[in-house]
Amino acid sequence: MAALLARRCGGAAAVALWRAQRRQRSTFDVAVVGAGIVGLAAARQLVLRHPTLAFAVLEKEQQLAHHQSGHNSGVIHSGIYYTPGSLKAKLCVQDEIPRLKALYERGLQNNVRGLKLIGTKEIQAKEPFCRGLMALDSPYTGIVDYRQVAQSYAEDFQEAGGTILTDFEVTDMEMAKESASGSEDGLQYPVIVRSSKGEEIYCRHIVTCAGLYSDRLSEISGCSPEPRIVPFRGDYLVLKPEKCYMVKGNIYPVPNPRFPFLGFHFTPRMDGSVWLGPNAVLAFKREGYKLFDFSTTDFLDAVMYSGLWRLVLRNLSYGLSEMYRACFLSAQVKELQKFIPEVTVNDVLRGPSGVRAQALDSDGNLVDDFVFDGGTGDIGSRILHVRNAPSPAATSSLAIAEMIADEARQRFEL
């Protein structure tokens, strides 16, 4: 009996020690919510700038970069589309060749290296199967595996002392009472962040980089729900392996300035495959990568939002065309044949899909630039929301991380 009591006491002491250690590990100066490429890049930059502070990344999935960062074409954008002085291109021209020339001028103003306009013969010299009157040759556009890039950011973050907590879906935030977390934690780390499984961490400040859930996290924190996130699914086709010889590099159409989507394009991948697309259709689930994926909550969120209906009514023809192409393979191939006429339905297979977290305001305007905001009140003043990080966020992730770190330092006085 004495031995049993000793074991029991020893076990209780061990549990108490474990809890004390866990409590120590669960207090952070800044918690970054979201382990996509932007969240990881931001966390990496923050810990490198402030090595004496404690940082954590909270991710609801068990893997890093599981959603937008791991479901994209992998293109490294050279900067052609950017308006000088802003982060996104806003073009207001009418025909494709004038738009192409305007893109060229934008690229020159943004110091895009090696950029030049080429004609029919030069197009065919570079892409023997591609047909066109004029094109922009951008030799510093490339491809990369952004999931691996994100993983590298995570390794840098952890090596610098940062903590990554996966399977931690943030569902609640509140201010801690002093008694809730011990005599000091409630004062030093006044914000409690809870997961869907009831786990808690305590922190001083929060940065959210939540992509498809950025609006919902904003609401949880008591901040504005605007702009809202409306998910758009992009479906890719893939060239059959024996037909990949038809594409040597990235081939893009001239973008439509009314939409942030870049249209059907040809993208060689790191593994040697070639992706074709994507289209852009409303997704009925925020993480709905399959055609019939459906979430009642996500669907009602989208269709009950007035901003979506205003967008749809202004662009009904475009939207119906995209839906038609999503259903019929031949319609997608027809778009591809505008550039490579030799491509046929027999040369392609249905491929993977991604979901874009498109920010939309209540007037039905697509928010086509980065949105950073916080709020008022106890929690609102301690939080920085990265509300919209549109493509090319992956390409620009290190530069965006610098911006986030600057904003966090100013807001939080780090």
Side-chain angles (χ1 to χ4, degrees), residues 193-212:
V193 181
R194 292 191 180 91
S195 78
S196 57
K197 296 183 177 180
E199 299 168 299
E200 296 179 349
I201 64 111
Y202 296 81
C203 61
R204 292 169 53 210
H205 305 286
I206 302 170
V207 176
T208 71
C209 301
L212 286 158

Side-chain angles (χ1 to χ4, degrees), residues 105-172:
E105 295 299 325
R106 301 277 182 177
L108 293 181
Q109 291 177 58
N110 283 316
N111 299 312
V112 177
R113 291 186 295 167
L115 191 65
K116 62 180 180 179
L117 285 167
I118 60 175
T120 301
K121 290 184 178 180
E122 291 169 294
I123 291 172
Q124 286 201 266
K126 288 184 171 293
E127 293 286 348
F129 292 89
C130 183
R131 302 292 182 269
L133 297 175
M134 184 180 291
L136 271 181
D137 180 21
S138 178
Y140 288 93
T141 296
I143 53 172
V144 71
D145 185 333
Y146 281 118
R147 195 187 293 269
Q148 288 189 20
V149 174
Q151 186 63 48
S152 177
Y153 292 166
E155 291 169 3
D156 288 349
F157 174 67
Q158 290 175 304
E159 287 173 3
T163 300
I164 296 178
L165 302 177
T166 56
D167 203 18
F168 194 108
E169 181 180 5
V170 175
T171 55
D172 185 45

Side-chain angles (χ1 to χ4, degrees), residues 332-405:
Q332 295 183 55
V333 171
K334 188 175 180 180
E335 289 295 307
L336 299 170
Q337 288 172 336
K338 293 178 181 179
F339 303 94
I340 298 185
E342 285 84 353
V343 174
T344 70
V345 172
N346 295 326
D347 298 330
V348 302
L349 301 169
R350 290 197 180 274
S353 299
V355 179
R356 179 190 181 110
Q358 179 59 54
L360 186 66
D361 68 23
S362 57
D363 292 325
N365 299 312
L366 297 171
V367 180
D368 198 25
D369 216 331
F370 295 83
V371 177
F372 303 95
D373 67 9
T376 58
D378 291 335
I379 293 183
S381 62
R382 291 179 173 273
I383 199 162
L384 169 62
H385 293 294
V386 181
R387 301 294 302 277
N388 190 44
S391 175
T395 298
S396 307
S397 55
L398 289 175
I400 296 167
E402 294 272 358
M403 293 173 55
I404 294 171

Side-chain angles (χ1 to χ4, degrees), residues 78-297:
S78 63
I80 295 170
Y81 306 107
Y82 304 170
T83 298
S86 77
L87 296 174
K88 295 286 291 179
K90 298 179 180 67
L91 303 178
C92 297
V93 288
Q94 294 180 348
D95 302 314
E96 283 201 0
I97 287 180
R99 289 209 307 266
L100 198 64
K101 291 180 177 179
L103 281 176
Y104 175 64
E105 295 299 325
R106 301 277 182 177
L108 293 181
Q109 291 177 58
N110 283 316
N111 299 312
V112 177
R113 291 186 295 167
L115 191 65
K116 62 180 180 179
L117 285 167
I118 60 175
T120 301
K121 290 184 178 180
E122 291 169 294
I123 291 172
Q124 286 201 266
K126 288 184 171 293
E127 293 286 348
F129 292 89
C130 183
R131 302 292 182 269
L133 297 175
M134 184 180 291
L136 271 181
D137 180 21
S138 178
Y140 288 93
T141 296
I143 53 172
V144 71
D145 185 333
Y146 281 118
R147 195 187 293 269
Q148 288 189 20
V149 174
Q151 186 63 48
S152 177
Y153 292 166
E155 291 169 3
D156 288 349
F157 174 67
Q158 290 175 304
E159 287 173 3
T163 300
I164 296 178
L165 302 177
T166 56
D167 203 18
F168 194 108
E169 181 180 5
V170 175
T171 55
D172 185 45
M173 304 175 194
E174 68 173 4
M175 297 300 293
K177 297 180 176 64
E178 184 176 342
S179 60
S181 56
S183 60
E184 295 183 359
D185 285 357
L187 296 175
Q188 294 182 7
Y189 306 97
V191 182
I192 303 176
V193 181
R194 292 191 180 91
S195 78
S196 57
K197 296 183 177 180
E199 299 168 299
E200 296 179 349
I201 64 111
Y202 296 81
C203 61
R204 292 169 53 210
H205 305 286
I206 302 170
V207 176
T208 71
C209 301
L212 286 158
Y213 294 93
S214 59
D215 55 344
R216 291 183 183 171
L217 273 181
S218 182
E219 288 189 85
I220 287 172
S221 69
C223 298
S224 171
E226 299 285 341
R228 294 279 290 277
I229 295 299
V230 176
F232 283 88
R233 192 184 72 252
D235 303 311
Y236 288 93
L237 304 178
V238 294
L239 270 180
K240 291 181 178 179
E242 64 270 21
K243 295 293 182 176
C244 287
Y245 67 88
M246 289 195 286
V247 179
K248 295 183 178 297
N250 295 285
I251 303 173
Y252 275 73
V254 179
N256 186 332
R258 294 172 56 196
F259 301 99
F261 314 112
L262 295 178
F264 273 68
H265 45 272
F266 299 74
T267 305
R269 299 277 293 176
M270 296 290 291
D271 61 3
S273 64
V274 177
W275 286 15
L276 314 169
N279 57 2
V281 295
L282 180 67
F284 298 144
K285 183 179 180 181
R286 292 201 179 195
E287 294 165 358
Y289 301 110
K290 297 179 182 178
L291 183 62
F292 298 108
D293 282 350
F294 183 85
S295 161
T296 301
T297 299

